[in-house]
Amino acid sequence: MIKIICLGKLKEKYLIDLVDDYLKRISKYHKIELIELKDEDNLESEALNIKKHIGSNDYVITLEIEGKTYTSEELANIIDKTFINYSTITFIIGSSTGIDDSIKRISHLSLSFSKLTFPHGLFRGILLEQIYRSFKINNNESYHK
């Protein structure tokens, strides 16, 4: 299973449609769940809510500007290899104030898509597109280029 934990709800229809489209595409390959949590006043409160949704055997990937960057092919390989030992990969997209250090400490991988800052809702779509691309790559299907 793939879980994506994010803070805040999307309001813009075009972003909701984008996210829904990629959730549907990914679901043809793998079970996926998007968990939207309420933005809290501080990172510690957010961390407590996030931790409620992380299983003890989840492979946790935090999305952070200071994380490591990978190509699409490398991310596809990480996803493919991770499912050998873990049944669930949990991606965490923090709030506009970031991710609490307690979540970073339990993360197996700190991943960055860019040094740029993206709007939260748009980034959800970008992450989902890259997960979908990973499944296409791993299944040797056209789409990737």
Side-chain angles (χ1 to χ4, degrees):
M1 166 184 256
I2 292 177
K3 285 190 286 190
I4 300 173
I5 300 173
C6 8
L7 284 293
K9 291 206 176 277
L10 295 182
K11 296 172 186 73
E12 302 88 348
K13 183 178 178 345
Y14 73 99
L15 292 174
I16 293 167
D17 290 345
L18 173 71
V19 166
D20 287 346
D21 178 53
Y22 279 108
L23 287 171
K24 183 178 177 183
R25 290 181 189 212
I26 294 165
S27 70
K28 293 176 183 174
Y29 295 95
H30 211 80
K31 185 174 180 186
I32 185 161
E33 179 182 13
L34 181 75
I35 301 166
E36 291 182 322
L37 302 178
K38 184 177 179 277
D39 277 323
E40 298 289 337
D41 292 335
N42 65 62
L43 290 178
E44 289 175 9
S45 295
E46 287 178 351
L48 290 173
N49 278 340
I50 290 170
K51 287 176 184 175
K52 291 176 188 174
H53 298 278
I54 298 173
S56 60
N57 293 319
D58 289 11
Y59 185 87
V60 177
I61 299 175
T62 47
L63 286 299
E64 306 175 49
I65 270 187
E66 59 275 354
K68 186 167 184 201
T69 58
Y70 296 93
T71 66
S72 294
E73 293 88 351
E74 290 170 331
L75 180 60
N77 189 47
I78 289 168
I79 288 172
D80 193 41
K81 298 274 188 264
T82 299
F83 278 129
I84 293 170
N85 296 310
Y86 295 86
S87 61
T88 302
I89 299 174
T90 299
F91 291 89
I92 300 172
I93 304 172
S95 65
S96 59
T97 53
I99 297 174
D100 189 69
D101 286 341
S102 68
I103 299 295
K104 291 179 182 182
R105 283 191 295 272
I106 62 171
S107 175
H108 294 88
L109 176 66
S110 172
L111 175 64
S112 175
F113 280 14
S114 171
K115 295 290 183 196
L116 300 172
T117 301
F118 296 103
H120 185 84
L122 182 59
F123 186 75
R124 281 190 205 184
I126 294 169
L127 172 61
L128 287 166
E129 191 281 334
Q130 285 298 305
I131 293 169
Y132 175 68
R133 184 178 297 270
S134 293
F135 283 112
K136 297 295 265 183
I137 291 169
N138 290 336
N139 286 286
N140 296 313
E141 296 175 13
S142 63
Y143 170 83
H144 171 52
K145 294 185 181 189

